[in-house]
């Protein structure tokens, strides 16, 4: 009997040749690394020898005595039956060939060391072919015969096939999902790890790997309404369709590439692993087939159901990636597919992921950044359209991030509103801006004091006592209430009721000015303005940019633009409100806005947002006016 050429079984310790370190001893004459087994005591009674021989031949354990050259001296009937021979014909045979000890270098070396008396024992596992044609697993043990001056060894072979079969069954149960009978998460990650190593180092394939990571849309509703038994049947049906799609994809690929692995990772989550992938087009085609297969109606014991799935698709070079990185990318992409509307597949986008990672990094460091003093304010002048004088400034926050540089509000204000850090951040902006406005007033006593305008988020009204914060800040800084303007977006102010409306009225009664920012982009409920404590409308820049576009295109101005803006300005004035035009960039725009009746303007025509010392210089000029281009680089 010789070693079989059949493919290897799953690698476990039982399948690899093993030399147990505790059984290895050094060469004679040196100190052993561990105590050798005590020698067997064989009686010297001459009548014992025949009985010993009979026991050897009748033993159920396959055994052979092997000389120091590796040749069989004698073998018992059990070994002869195992290899399909008779004991006499085995005499003189090469023992190593009988049990395939020379198939790997490590086992062969250990075997030779035992024959030479330099090693106490060899134990290894081999897969052999039985003379009747079936395969079996055996445990081979080679030990020196005690008190044998010729250096003979005893080779014993134990059939462990039944144990191996039991272990294989247990492993299958451990590595497969009982509901769908698909590989589970543990086996999937084993295959994924092995695939990445193979793709990264083998030169015969593409060196790429692909993954479709999916879950069912609304599966929880199926469990909740129809019960877990129906839910399990649905999962099993989905698994069958995914397997069918994988098999169809496998038939269209080269033989070496094989069929994609389908696994259930838990709950309603599945994954298809494509080894040796050829590119994103292949994964996209697979994802399309998966979506189409899953969306076909299901008939589950008379219960007709329809479900969809969202799929995250990742395809990349295997070199340089890890199972964790690949699954993180797949999980992120699956989230995008869900967020984009479900029932679709989405391909991993490194740029979008980088933005997400940046967003997470900013969110995690936002609160500590307030304590570390990483924020600063810049100020943009609000200029009178008639006199070109600075009437006020808008405070605009900047984050001097140690990693990402200077960030404008659109990069982090949304995050601050989500996690609630907008409350301490807004409180810091309020106090810093009021303190600076008061400082300008003290430094320029001969000039009319300018007001400072601060943006306020709706969450600041709900999650903090904004009225108390403003009152405390004005008292602390000494700034008069009429020199503070609070800006809220149109969507936040229009329809305000309850606590927000009460807060706005309390602030207005205090003397603080309330402005609606970006007016004209939201509800535009002009009639509602009469019931709000608002004093300023800031006309959205899109109206002014429309003027600019016409001038650059050298086309006559559209009368409708001016009619709409003029109507809003006139209505605001009748309600006792002033109007500020944003995004004023050219003198022609300023002229048209002045003719329409806008009160103040803000934009690069006058100045970009600048540090507070630049505003100080502006206020200290002889006429305290703004010249065209002030603050432009």
């Amino acid at each position: 009997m010789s070693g079989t050429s059949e493919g290897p079984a799953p690698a476990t310790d039982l399948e690899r040749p093993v030399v147990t370190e505790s059984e290895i001893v050094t060469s004679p004459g040196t100190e052993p690394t561990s105590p050798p087994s005590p020698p067997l005591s064989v009686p010297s009674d001459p009548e014992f020898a025949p009985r010993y021989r009979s026991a050897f031949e009748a033993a159920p354990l396959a055994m052979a005595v092997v000389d120091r050259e590796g040749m069989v001296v004698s073998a018992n009937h059990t070994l002869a039956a195992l290899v399909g021979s008779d004991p006499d014909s085995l005499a003189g045979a090469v023992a190593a060939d009988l049990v395939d000890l020379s198939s790997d270098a490590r086992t062969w070396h250990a075997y030779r060391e035992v024959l030479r008396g330099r090693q106490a024992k060899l134990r290894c596992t081999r897969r052999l072919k039985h003379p009747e044609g079936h395969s079996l697993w055996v445990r081979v043990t080679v030990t020196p015969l005690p008190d044998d001056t010729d250096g003979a060894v005893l080779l014993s072979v134990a059939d462990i096939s039944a144990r191996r079969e039991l272990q294989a069954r247990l492993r299958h149960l451990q590595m497969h999902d009982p509901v769908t009978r698909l590989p589970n998460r543990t086996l999937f990650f084993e295959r994924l790890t092995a695939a990445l190593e193979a793709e990264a180092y083998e030169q015969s394939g593409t060196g790429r790997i692909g993954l479709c990571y999916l879950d069912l849309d609304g599966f929880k509703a199926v469990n909740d309404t129809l019960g877990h038994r129906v839910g399990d049947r649905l999962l099993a049906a989905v698994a069958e369709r995914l397997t069918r799609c994988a098999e169809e994809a496998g038939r269209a690929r080269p033989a070496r590439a094989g069929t994609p692995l389908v696994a259930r990772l838990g709950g309603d989550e599945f994954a298809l692993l494509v080894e040796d992938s050829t590119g994103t087009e292949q994964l996209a085609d697979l994802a399309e087939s998966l979506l189409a297969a899953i969306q076909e109606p299901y008939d589950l014991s008379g219960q007709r159901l329809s479900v969809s799935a969202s799929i995250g698709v990742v395809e990349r070079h295997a070199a340089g990636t890890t199972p964790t990185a690949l699954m993180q990318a797949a999980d992120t992409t699956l989230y995008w597919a869900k967020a984009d509307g479900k029932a679709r597949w989405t391909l991993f986008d490194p740029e979008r992921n980088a933005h997400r990672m940046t967003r997470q990094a900013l969110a995690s460091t936002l609160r500590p950044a307030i304590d570390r003093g990483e924020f600063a304010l810049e100020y943009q002048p609000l200029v009178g359209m008639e006199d070109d004088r600075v009437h006020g400034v808008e405070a605009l926050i900047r984050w001097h991030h140690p990693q990402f540089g200077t960030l404008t509000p659109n990069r982090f204000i949304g995050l601050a509103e989500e996690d609630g850090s907008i409350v301490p951040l807004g409180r810091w902006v309020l106090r810093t801006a009021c303190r600076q406005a008061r400082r300008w007033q003290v430094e320029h006593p001969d000039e009319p004091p300018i007001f400072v305008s601060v943006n306020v988020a709706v969450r600041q009204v709900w999650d903090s006592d904004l009225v108390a914060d403003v009152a405390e800040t004005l008292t602390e800084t000494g700034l008069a209430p009429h020199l503070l303007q609070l800006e809220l977006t149109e969507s936040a102010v229009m329809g305000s009721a309850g606590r927000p409306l009460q807060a706005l009225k309390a602030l207005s009664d205090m003397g603080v000015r309330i402005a609606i920012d970006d007016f004209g982009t939201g509800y535009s409920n002009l009639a509602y303005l009469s019931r709000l404590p608002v004093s300023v409308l800031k006309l959205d820049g899109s109206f002014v940019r429309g003027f600019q576009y016409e001038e650059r295109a050298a086309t006559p101005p559209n009368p409708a633009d001016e009619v709409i803006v003029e109507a809003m300005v006139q209505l605001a004035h009748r309600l006792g409100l002033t109007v500020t035009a944003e995004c004023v960039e050219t003198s022609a725009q300023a002229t048209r806005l002045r003719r329409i009746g806008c009160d103040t303007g803000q934009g690069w025509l006058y100045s970009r947002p600048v540090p507070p010392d630049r505003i100080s210089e502006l206020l200290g000029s002889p006429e305290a006016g703004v010249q065209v281009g002030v603050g432009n680089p």
Side-chain angles (χ1 to χ4, degrees):
M1 180 171 58
S2 61
T4 178
S5 60
E6 295 179 15
T12 68
D13 289 341
L14 292 176
E15 299 165 17
R16 289 191 282 266
V18 176
V19 179
T20 307
E21 294 184 4
S22 62
E23 298 172 340
I24 298 176
V25 297
T26 57
S27 58
T30 63
E31 195 69 27
T33 58
S34 61
S37 302
L40 297 174
S41 178
V42 180
S44 58
D45 183 356
E47 295 182 2
F48 181 79
R51 286 182 288 174
Y52 179 80
R53 181 70 186 177
S54 298
F56 172 78
E57 292 178 352
L61 180 65
M63 295 184 292
V65 177
V66 181
D67 64 22
R68 67 189 335 168
E69 300 301 323
M71 312 301 291
V72 175
V73 176
S74 62
N76 67 0
H77 289 281
T78 308
L79 180 62
L82 190 67
V83 299
S85 183
D86 59 82
D88 293 336
S89 64
L90 289 181
V94 179
D97 292 344
L98 298 177
V99 287
D100 194 27
L101 294 181
S102 59
S103 61
D104 69 87
R106 183 186 178 197
T107 302
W108 175 247
H109 173 75
Y111 173 63
R112 299 297 299 170
E113 291 295 286
V114 174
L115 293 179
R116 294 167 183 163
R118 298 175 183 173
Q119 184 169 307
K121 181 182 289 187
L122 166 66
R123 181 180 294 145
C124 64
T125 303
R126 281 290 181 267
R127 190 181 189 188
L128 306 177
K129 179 169 293 245
H130 194 273
E132 296 179 359
H134 63 273
S135 296
L136 70 158
W137 287 92
V138 296
R139 168 64 59 83
V140 180
T141 305
V142 183
T143 57
L145 283 172
D147 299 331
D148 191 301
T149 57
D150 294 331
V153 298
L154 179 66
L155 181 147
S156 59
V157 183
D159 187 350
I160 60 171
S161 299
R163 186 174 71 180
R164 291 289 302 217
E165 183 179 354
L166 177 60
Q167 290 175 337
R169 290 177 181 175
L170 292 175
R171 174 178 168 80
H172 182 86
L173 291 175
Q174 181 184 14
M175 296 295 183
H176 287 75
D177 170 53
V179 175
T180 63
R181 300 183 181 180
L182 293 176
N184 61 12
R185 176 180 290 270
T186 303
L187 182 54
F188 172 79
F189 275 96
E190 278 190 11
R191 285 284 302 272
L192 175 58
T193 301
L196 284 174
E197 293 175 354
E199 295 289 351
Y201 297 109
E202 290 184 8
Q203 302 298 321
S204 56
T206 63
R208 303 183 69 84
I209 195 162
L211 180 64
C212 289
Y213 183 36
L214 65 94
D215 77 359
L216 304 181
D217 301 325
F219 177 74
K220 184 178 183 300
V222 175
N223 271 343
D224 292 344
T225 58
L226 302 177
H228 288 271
R229 179 173 297 181
V230 175
D232 287 349
R233 290 175 181 172
L234 176 60
L235 291 175
V238 169
E240 291 179 3
R241 296 187 183 184
L242 296 181
T243 302
R244 186 166 60 248
C245 289
E247 291 172 348
E248 292 174 355
R251 286 192 289 269
R253 307 179 69 203
R256 178 192 177 280
T259 301
L261 171 70
V262 184
R264 182 190 177 196
L265 302 188
D268 60 335
E269 297 178 358
F270 297 85
L272 281 83
L273 178 65
V274 181
E275 301 179 41
D276 200 27
S277 61
T278 58
T280 56
E281 184 176 351
Q282 177 191 2
L283 270 294
D285 291 342
L286 177 59
E288 288 283 1
S289 67
L290 296 175
L291 285 179
I294 292 173
Q295 289 175 350
E296 288 291 326
Y298 298 83
D299 189 354
L300 306 176
S301 301
Q303 185 73 48
R304 191 171 179 82
L305 297 175
S306 295
V307 296
S308 62
S310 299
I311 306 177
V313 178
V314 182
E315 201 280 338
R316 61 174 57 170
H317 283 287
T321 193
T322 63
T324 300
L326 190 65
M327 290 306 300
Q328 284 179 342
D331 185 63
T332 297
T333 312
L334 174 59
Y335 170 80
W336 293 342
K338 291 282 190 183
D340 291 344
K342 302 181 181 180
R344 69 191 63 218
W345 63 269
T346 301
L347 183 66
F348 181 75
D349 181 359
E351 183 175 344
R352 184 175 180 181
N353 185 60
H355 177 74
R356 181 186 69 89
M357 296 299 290
T358 301
R359 180 180 173 87
Q360 290 179 343
L362 293 178
S364 63
T365 57
L366 211 162
R367 285 182 181 270
I370 302 173
D371 299 329
R372 289 195 298 263
E374 295 178 3
F375 293 95
L377 294 182
E378 291 184 346
Y379 300 89
Q380 189 170 30
L382 297 165
V383 179
M385 301 294 288
E386 294 294 335
D387 57 11
D388 283 338
R389 295 180 64 89
V390 178
H391 291 190
V393 292
E394 180 180 356
L396 300 169
I397 190 170
R398 302 289 185 263
W399 185 358
H400 299 305
H401 196 282
Q403 179 181 355
F404 302 112
T406 300
L407 304 178
T408 53
N410 63 308
R411 295 288 301 277
F412 58 86
I413 289 298
L415 295 175
E417 291 181 350
E418 289 177 9
D419 68 4
S421 58
I422 190 66
V423 173
L425 184 60
R427 190 177 291 123
W428 176 85
V429 171
L430 177 66
R431 291 176 178 171
T432 303
C434 289
R435 191 178 298 115
Q436 182 61 60
R438 176 58 179 163
R439 185 177 299 118
W440 285 323
Q441 185 179 4
V442 173
E443 291 175 352
H444 304 280
D446 297 332
E447 297 292 335
I450 63 173
F451 67 89
V452 62
S453 188
V454 176
N455 291 278
V456 175
V458 176
R459 188 161 183 177
Q460 289 178 256
V461 182
W462 282 107
D463 293 1
S464 67
D465 192 342
L466 181 62
V467 177
D469 287 342
V470 170
E472 181 181 347
T473 299
L474 293 177
T475 301
E476 176 187 318
T477 60
L479 187 69
H482 72 278
L483 295 180
L484 173 62
Q485 176 174 289
L486 300 181
E487 295 187 20
L488 291 89
T489 61
E490 178 182 354
S491 58
V493 175
M494 292 300 187
S496 293
R499 182 174 179 179
L501 181 58
Q502 294 172 5
L504 294 180
K505 288 183 177 179
L507 291 169
S508 179
D509 293 341
M510 191 185 301
V512 175
R513 308 201 309 180
I514 307 297
I516 298 180
D517 195 14
D518 300 329
F519 186 78
T521 61
Y523 297 100
S524 297
N525 189 348
L526 299 177
Y528 193 71
L529 287 175
S530 61
R531 298 193 293 271
L532 290 175
V534 175
S535 54
V536 180
L537 295 185
K538 296 193 72 174
L539 193 63
D540 185 70
S542 59
F543 295 103
V544 179
R545 281 190 291 269
F547 294 168
Q548 178 187 29
Y549 174 79
E550 291 168 0
E551 292 165 3
R552 289 182 177 177
T555 58
N558 185 351
D561 287 343
E562 291 196 21
V563 170
I564 293 173
V565 174
E566 186 174 6
M568 287 193 293
V569 171
Q570 290 179 355
L571 178 59
H573 286 170
R574 293 203 174 194
L575 294 173
L577 310 179
T578 60
V579 179
T580 298
E582 299 178 301
C583 301
V584 182
E585 296 183 2
T586 68
S587 56
Q589 290 173 336
T591 299
R592 294 175 63 185
L593 291 167
R594 185 181 302 111
R595 183 173 64 249
I596 288 172
C598 283
D599 301 285
T600 55
Q602 178 182 2
W604 288 4
L605 171 66
Y606 307 109
S607 174
R608 297 192 181 196
V610 294
D613 57 336
R614 293 290 301 275
I615 300 297
S616 297
E617 295 174 4
L618 189 61
L619 294 176
S621 61
E623 298 181 355
V626 175
Q627 304 298 321
V628 172
V630 170
N632 286 349

